Amino acid sequence: MTETPASAPPKSDRRRFLALAGATAAATVAAPNVSNAQTMTLRFQSTWPQRDIFHEFCNDYAARVNAISGGRLRLEVLAAGAVVPAFQLQDAVHAGILDGGHGVTAYWFGKNKAYSLFGTPPAYGWDAHNFLAWMNYGGGYDLYNELVTQITRVNVVGFLTGPMPCQPLGWFKRELTQASDLRGLKYRTVGLAADLFNELGSAVTILPGGEIVPALERGLIDGAEFNNPTSDTILGFPDVSKVYMLQSYHQAAEAFEVIFNKGKYDAMGAEQKAILKFAAESASSDMYWKALDRYSRDLAALRGRGVNVIKTPDAILKAQLEAWDKVVARLSAENPFFKKVIDSQRAWAQRTVGYERVNTPSRDMSYTHFFGAS
C-alpha cells in the first residue's frame, strides 16, 4: 500500500484544485477578448444640424468605431455648433479643441481651392463611387495628404467616406428653363460650385446647412441647393418653395470627410488607427445603402406634399459643363497643385468611365422596359 505524502493534499482536494486550475486556464485563453487598457474617448463634432440625416451618418460611423474597438476607442459625437460653427471644424481639430469631426472638404475651399477637388470635383462623367476609387487606387490619397500636410500645413489626418448620389440643382421660387435664368440669381452653394455658378452669372452666397432656409424665406437668396430629398425636407425647404429641380453637374461626385487631430492620431496604436480607417470604409457602403432607401422614399413624400419635382433642362446642364471648362482652366493656370490634381482626376476618369460606358448597358432602357417612362 502506497502512502500519500504528508505534504500532498487529499485526492478530493487535488481534484478540486485541478478543476479550478482548468477553469483559470480557460479564462486565461479567453482573456484576449477583454482589454484592461484605458478607454480613449475622442470629442467628435459633425458639421451638420442634429436632425439632419448627415448627422445620422456621422453617428453611424462613430457606432462602428465604438463597436469594432470593443469600447476601448470611443467617439463622443456632437452636432454642428456644439463647440464651433460648421465652417470652423477643421481649425478646431487642427488646434486640438476637438479631436475629430465629420464634414466635407468643400468647407475648407477658402484655404485652397484644391480642397474642393476632394469633395466636389468637376463632372467628368464619374459618380462618387468612381471618385472614391480614384482616392484609393488612383493616387488621390497621396495628393490629399500633400495638400493637408505640405501645402496648407493643417495638423489633421483624414479619410473620405460615404459616396453621395448626384445632388439636385436645388429649390427655387420659379422654374428655371434656360441658362440665362441663372444670370443675376442669388444662389447658395459651396466649394468649386461657387466658382461654377459665378461663371454662369449667379450671385453666390456660401452658407452652412442650418442657415439656408431662413435666408430663402427672407428673400436674401432666390434659390439654393443643399444635397438630397431627406436633408432638404428636414431643413424645411418644402415649407418655403415648391419648385425642386433635380439633376445637376455642379456636385455630381461628392463624399464626406472624416478628420482627426494628427497629434492625437499619431499617439494611437496601430490597431486604433486601423479601426478609424476601416470603420470609415465600412460606413461608406452602409451610408449609400441607407441613402438610396431614404432619399427615394422622401422624394415620393415631397411629391405628395405638392412639390413640383422637375428635371433640370439639358440647356442648363450643357451650360454647366461649358462653365466647368472655364473654371478648371482658370484655376489650373493660377494654382499648380490644383492642376496636378485635375490632371490625375482627368486621366483616371477618362480610363475608368470609358470602361464603364462600354461595359454597362443603358439603365434608362432597362428601367423603361420594366417600369415604363417616368
Side-chain angles (χ1 to χ4, degrees), residues 74-339:
R74 180 174 174 271
L75 300 188
E76 177 190 348
V77 176
L78 306 165
V83 178
V84 295
F87 288 172
Q88 294 179 21
L89 176 70
Q90 190 193 63
D91 290 337
V93 175
H94 165 81
I97 296 169
L98 287 164
D99 299 315
H102 183 283
V104 288
T105 62
Y107 281 2
W108 328 134
F109 174 72
K111 295 181 178 180
N112 190 306
K113 293 193 175 184
Y115 266 111
S116 199
L117 294 175
F118 298 95
T120 57
Y124 288 137
W126 56 356
D127 62 11
H129 294 281
N130 193 315
F131 163 73
L132 287 174
W134 169 76
M135 284 296 300
N136 284 276
Y137 290 97
Y141 268 116
D142 290 336
L143 292 165
Y144 170 83
N145 291 330
E146 182 179 350
L147 174 63
V148 171
T149 62
Q150 299 178 35
I151 296 177
T152 58
R153 299 185 183 278
V154 181
N155 187 40
V156 303
V157 172
F159 306 105
L160 296 195
T161 180
M164 301 183 201
C166 179
Q167 297 177 35
L169 184 66
W171 298 81
F172 302 92
K173 296 179 179 179
R174 61 180 179 84
E175 180 181 349
L176 309 183
T177 60
Q178 52 194 357
S180 60
D181 290 338
L182 294 168
R183 288 200 289 270
L185 187 81
K186 294 179 289 185
Y187 181 76
R188 180 273 176 191
T189 189
V190 294
L192 275 178
D195 280 38
L196 185 75
F197 279 93
N198 280 331
E199 187 66 42
L200 290 163
S202 301
V204 175
T205 298
I206 298 174
L207 297 170
E211 298 179 18
I212 305 171
V213 170
L216 191 60
E217 186 173 26
R218 296 198 303 269
L220 300 178
I221 53 177
D222 303 314
E225 60 80 33
F226 183 67
N227 192 275
N228 63 80
T230 302
S231 293
D232 292 355
T233 299
I234 292 170
L235 290 174
F237 279 98
D239 297 328
V240 298
S241 172
K242 297 300 180 186
V243 177
Y244 192 28
M245 301 188 67
L246 301 190
Q247 298 190 18
S248 182
Y249 284 129
H250 77 286
Q251 289 178 325
E254 187 170 14
F256 294 103
E257 179 193 41
V258 170
I259 57 174
F260 295 94
N261 176 269
K262 190 174 187 301
K264 182 78 71 169
Y265 178 85
D266 288 345
M268 295 180 186
E271 179 187 11
Q272 292 171 317
K273 292 176 180 177
I275 287 170
L276 295 178
K277 179 179 186 294
F278 296 141
E281 294 176 358
S282 170
S284 194
S285 295
D286 182 69
M287 185 233 92
Y288 190 78
W289 303 334
K290 178 185 285 189
L292 279 183
D293 177 43
R294 296 273 286 278
Y295 295 179
S296 60
R297 291 177 187 272
D298 288 332
L299 182 62
L302 285 170
R303 285 191 167 108
R305 293 177 57 178
V307 171
N308 189 13
V309 178
I310 303 166
K311 176 193 175 297
T312 299
D314 286 348
I316 293 178
L317 296 176
K318 290 177 182 177
Q320 286 182 324
L321 294 177
E322 292 168 0
W324 267 123
D325 286 337
K326 296 175 183 178
V327 169
V328 168
R330 175 171 54 81
L331 294 179
S332 294
E334 295 172 0
N335 183 336
F337 181 77
F338 187 98
K339 183 179 186 304

